[in-house]
């Protein structure tokens, strides 16, 4: 499937695709379907990008996704079509039962799908959400800087906006937690307009935060999500994927219009077009000649990748389900911010994934591996053991049979969460479509460039389609 290039070799193709995640592979398939020659150049030693699937146990069936985990079967139509095409099975995320809210004062149970707040707070919150939904409705996806109040919304952080508008620390805190949970960046680092843009791309606040129909967390793939990329890679021409080949330079010759792509292992690719699928902050790892235009440089230097990581505890039996719990915990204390059940009953794979994100995640990541595991495990155990069940009983929490951990922020060529956060002023400064605008023969894809479900697998696939279409149209002229 993949070839490791010999050092010092040179190859000429119509298109070089940089990055073998969902967007790069999808773009390559589009280029291949149009009959053009191509090479896919990938920095790491595997395909899949931010999808990574690992075995749950030392032996036997069952896997866990330590990267992107969820899809839906309605508004995420492209990724769902791939799941169907490759004959993969899905598991519904929502399970009936109670969630746990863990605070320094203790643990309380609340019904899944509701919030652990008083009726009075619920009424206030529904007003806040109505206000947010109205703002989201007004966002122009194609040109976010042009919507009503766009300049004003882009000039403040999520934190500042919430404090000014709702005069409430707790509302500001809630939205801070939400943005950290989504992309690992704090609410005081992201512009309000950028946040609204992500909500709009994900079909609104309820869809982005929900696990019901149309929700961002509706379904999980039993075989894991990396297999989607592996299947796509298998459809490409043998020998067309070059793994362990980090790109160091992209040179464009204005006279001939040709692009030269240089890798760290000394392979040179000559092409008419380049499709680049890496997160904007990582553009800085590549030397562009001529240099990137100002707006691309601004995206590269200002956008921030957040801290995002999961530690997954695998168990022999789903003891929490037996007790009427969903496995979902929202926590204000300890390293993880929230947990979700990641089980697949058909494989007898029972697990809870703990998400360590943003500020608390970053502090936790400084600990040794043993300390990281110990603190996350103590937090999980304490939440489960100190909650009074509806029956009045307490849970006996068994030791896990396995622990899986993957810190995206510590991985070369990733450095963080699902998509970068955009600080105040960036959208207004770079102008319409800057993240998608080609630069000479270089075209830009990746989930953060998507108009629909940016930051998700769906956005990645759709951006790959767009990149292929741009390049095929240009080459066909």
């Amino acid at each position: 499937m993949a070839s490791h290039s010999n050092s010092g070799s040179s190859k000429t193709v119509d298109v070089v695709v940089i990055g073998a995640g969902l967007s790069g592979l999808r773009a390559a398939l589009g280029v291949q379907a149009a009959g053009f020659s191509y090479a896919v150049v990938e920095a790491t030693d595997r395909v899949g990008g931010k999808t990574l699937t690992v075995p749950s146990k030392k032996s036997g069936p069952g896997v866990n996704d330590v990267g992107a985990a969820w899809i839906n079967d309605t508004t995420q139509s492209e990724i769902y079509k791939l799941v169907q095409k490759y004959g993969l099975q899905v598991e519904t995320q929502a399970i009936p039962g109670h969630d746990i809210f863990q605070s320094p004062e203790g643990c309380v149970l609340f019904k899944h799908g509701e919030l652990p707040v008083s009726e009075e707070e619920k009424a206030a919150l529904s007003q806040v959400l109505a206000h947010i939904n109205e703002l989201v409705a007004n966002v122009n996806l194609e040109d976010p800087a042009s919507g009503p109040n766009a300049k004003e919304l882009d000039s403040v952080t999520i934190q500042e906006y919430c404090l000014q508008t709702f005069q409430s620390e707790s509302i500001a805190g809630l939205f801070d937690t939400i943005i950290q949970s989504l992309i690992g960046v704090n609410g005081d680092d992201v512009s309000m307009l950028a946040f609204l843009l992500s909500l709009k791309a994900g079909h609104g606040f309820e869809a982005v935060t929900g696990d019901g129909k149309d929700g961002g967390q509706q379904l999980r793939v039993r075989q894991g999500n990396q297999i989607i990329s592996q299947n796509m890679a298998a459809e490409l021409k043998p020998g067309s994927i070059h793994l362990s080949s980090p790109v160091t330079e992209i040179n464009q010759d204005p006279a001939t219009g040709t692009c030269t792509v240089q890798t760290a292992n000394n392979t040179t690719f000559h092409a008419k077009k380049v499709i680049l699928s890496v997160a904007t902050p990582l553009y800085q790892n590549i030397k562009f000649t001529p240099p990137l235009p100002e707006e691309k440089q601004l995206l590269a230097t200002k956008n921030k990748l957040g801290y995002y990581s999961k530690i997954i505890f695998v168990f022999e039996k789903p003891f929490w389900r037996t007790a009427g719990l969903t496995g979902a915990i929202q926590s204000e204390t300890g390293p993880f911010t929230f947990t979700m059940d990641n089980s697949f009953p058909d494989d007898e794979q029972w697990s809870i994934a703990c998400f360590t994100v943003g500020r608390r995640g970053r502090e936790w990541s400084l600990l040794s591996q043993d300390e990281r595991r110990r603190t996350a495990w103590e937090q999980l155990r304490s939440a489960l053991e100190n909650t009074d069940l509806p029956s009045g009983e307490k849970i006996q929490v068994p030791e896990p049979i396995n622990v899986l951990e993957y810190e995206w922020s510590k991985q070369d060529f990733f450095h963080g969460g699902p998509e970068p956060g955009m600080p105040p002023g960036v959208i207004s400064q770079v102008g319409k479509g800057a993240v998608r605008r080609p630069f000479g023969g270089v075209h830009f894809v990746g989930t953060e460039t998507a108009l629909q479900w940016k930051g998700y697998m769906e956005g990645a696939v759709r951006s790959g389609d767009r990149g292929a279409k741009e390049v095929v149209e240009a080459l066909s002229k």
Side-chain angles (χ1 to χ4, degrees):
M1 181 187 89
S3 75
H4 290 258
S5 307
N6 304 325
S7 61
S9 62
S10 162
K11 201 170 164 63
T12 302
V13 288
D14 293 320
V15 184
V16 173
V17 178
I18 300 170
L22 287 164
S23 48
L25 293 168
R26 181 71 164 211
L29 284 169
V31 169
Q32 175 173 276
F36 292 102
S37 63
Y38 61 91
V40 179
V41 185
E42 165 60 40
T44 70
D45 60 0
R46 61 177 181 85
V47 300
K50 283 184 180 172
T51 58
L52 179 58
T53 304
V54 298
S56 302
K57 306 170 259 203
K58 307 277 190 278
S59 63
V63 297
N64 278 93
D65 275 311
V66 293
W70 290 278
I71 60 166
N72 74 36
D73 57 7
T74 50
T75 55
Q76 297 190 356
S77 52
E78 295 308 313
I79 192 84
Y80 189 64
K81 277 181 207 157
L82 290 172
V83 165
Q84 291 177 298
K85 175 183 179 179
Y86 299 133
L88 309 175
Q89 287 93 47
V90 293
E91 184 71 25
T92 305
Q93 180 62 42
I95 34 183
H98 285 82
D99 297 357
I100 295 172
F101 178 69
Q102 182 183 35
S103 75
E105 286 76 63
C107 293
V108 290
L109 276 189
F110 61 102
K111 217 169 149 187
H112 184 66
E114 292 182 10
L115 284 168
V117 295
S118 67
E119 288 307 315
E120 197 181 331
E121 286 174 303
K122 264 182 204 160
L125 208 52
S126 74
Q127 278 184 303
V128 167
L129 290 183
H131 175 89
I132 296 288
N133 287 335
E134 199 177 316
L135 293 177
V136 169
N138 286 326
V139 173
N140 180 332
L141 279 176
E142 298 267 356
D143 185 9
S146 73
N149 311 339
K151 288 268 185 289
E152 185 190 323
L153 291 165
D154 195 34
S155 69
V156 289
T157 64
I158 299 172
Q159 204 79 347
E160 288 166 340
Y161 183 85
C162 289
L163 288 171
Q164 287 164 17
T165 312
F166 309 118
Q167 309 283 306
S168 158
E169 291 277 353
S170 68
I171 297 290
L174 173 69
F175 282 95
D176 183 31
T177 302
I178 289 167
I179 191 69
Q180 288 186 55
S181 302
L182 290 173
I183 62 170
V185 178
N186 301 332
D188 50 11
D189 285 331
V190 178
S191 110
M192 187 64 186
L193 183 59
F195 178 48
L196 296 169
L197 178 62
S198 285
L199 294 179
K200 175 82 169 214
H203 296 248
F205 181 84
E206 282 80 5
V208 165
T209 55
D211 64 6
K213 190 174 156 47
D214 307 331
Q217 288 74 233
Q218 185 201 358
L219 303 169
R220 281 179 288 112
V221 174
R222 179 181 172 189
Q223 292 83 352
N225 290 314
Q226 193 183 358
I227 201 166
I228 299 171
S229 290
Q230 289 162 344
N231 274 306
M232 286 161 84
E235 288 181 48
L236 293 172
K237 200 169 94 262
S240 59
I241 301 178
H242 304 263
L243 298 176
S244 306
S245 304
V247 168
T248 52
E249 289 182 47
I250 300 174
N251 300 317
Q252 300 190 63
D253 182 344
T256 59
T258 52
C259 303
T260 306
V261 173
Q262 195 68 46
T263 67
N265 51 7
N266 234 352
T267 312
T268 310
F269 295 88
H270 301 283
K272 297 172 187 145
K273 293 281 176 189
V274 171
I275 297 176
L276 180 63
S277 173
V278 304
T280 47
L282 304 180
Y283 293 174
Q284 298 175 84
N285 297 352
I286 301 170
K287 185 184 174 205
F288 291 85
T289 311
L292 284 175
E294 204 181 333
E295 75 265 18
K296 296 277 188 201
Q297 292 192 32
L298 202 70
L299 291 167
T301 53
K302 297 277 198 222
N303 284 359
K304 277 198 177 91
L305 282 159
Y307 181 84
Y308 212 87
S309 132
K310 290 184 211 185
I311 180 161
I312 301 170
F313 294 96
V314 184
F315 299 95
E316 192 119 349
K317 298 241 168 0
F319 61 90
W320 61 95
R321 289 189 176 194
T322 322
L325 300 176
T326 62
I329 300 167
Q330 291 169 27
S331 181
E332 291 181 336
T333 165
F336 65 72
T337 300
F338 67 101
T339 69
M340 286 173 90
D341 184 317
N342 268 204
S343 307
F344 289 96
D346 291 350
D347 294 321
E348 296 197 1
Q349 189 278 95
W350 309 107
S351 57
I352 293 178
C354 308
F355 289 75
T356 58
V357 296
R359 207 176 286 117
R360 276 152 57 189
R362 236 177 247 290
E363 287 169 15
W364 175 78
S365 83
L366 302 172
L367 303 172
S368 68
Q369 188 183 50
D370 286 349
E371 276 300 286
R372 287 201 304 274
R373 291 190 173 189
R374 187 186 63 78
T375 50
W377 171 241
E378 281 180 4
Q379 183 186 357
L380 180 65
R381 200 183 57 202
S382 146
L384 292 165
E385 284 183 349
N386 295 320
T387 299
D388 291 312
L389 296 177
S391 62
E393 293 170 61
K394 293 268 196 214
I395 287 190
Q396 293 291 307
V397 178
E399 290 288 315
I401 56 171
N402 202 10
V403 184
L404 308 167
E405 186 198 357
Y406 199 78
E407 290 191 276
W408 288 94
S409 303
K410 288 181 182 170
Q411 309 302 320
D412 281 340
F413 314 113
F414 293 107
H415 295 297
E419 65 160 341
M422 298 176 90
V426 175
I427 293 176
S428 307
Q429 271 175 282
V430 297
K432 179 180 176 176
V435 72
R436 285 180 292 282
R437 189 178 305 124
F439 165 51
V442 182
H443 294 251
F444 299 85
V445 300
T447 186
E448 70 180 288
T449 71
L451 293 173
Q452 299 288 327
W453 289 106
K454 100 196 193 64
Y456 293 75
M457 292 183 278
E458 176 74 11
V461 172
R462 290 190 186 209
S463 78
D465 285 342
R466 173 187 53 77
K469 187 168 172 262
E470 287 173 5
V471 162
V472 166
E473 279 175 8
L475 291 174
S476 305
K477 277 189 179 136

